[in-house]
Amino acid sequence: MKDVMMLLGFSMGLLTGALLYKYSQGTKNMIDQGEKKIIKGAENMEKKAQQGMEQLEKKVKEGVKTVEDKLKGK
């Protein structure tokens, strides 16, 4: 019985949220703005990760060159 009540509560919350999104302009704007902020944050994280990978790649190339130079006896 407890599981049924939990499922019913979840369903009612989901239905209420969907109706609010559909008919309430303020709620729709708030959700859309939140979604845009999340997407922008994810894009910023992606850019930072890309920059970090580029820096790491440069350091690895420098390290390989140093090892090769030492092996050649320079």
Side-chain angles (χ1 to χ4, degrees), residues 8-56:
L8 181 63
F10 178 76
S11 300
M12 292 300 292
L14 187 63
L15 181 63
T16 303
L19 289 173
L20 273 173
Y21 183 79
K22 184 174 182 178
Y23 294 111
S24 175
Q25 191 63 32
T27 302
K28 187 172 185 172
N29 288 339
M30 181 181 66
I31 291 171
D32 291 343
Q33 287 175 356
E35 183 181 13
K36 287 177 185 176
K37 286 181 182 179
I38 290 171
I39 290 171
K40 187 175 180 180
E43 288 172 350
N44 287 340
M45 287 174 37
E46 181 182 6
K47 286 178 186 176
K48 287 180 182 179
Q50 184 65 32
Q51 290 172 350
M53 290 299 292
E54 290 171 359
Q55 290 176 354
L56 181 61

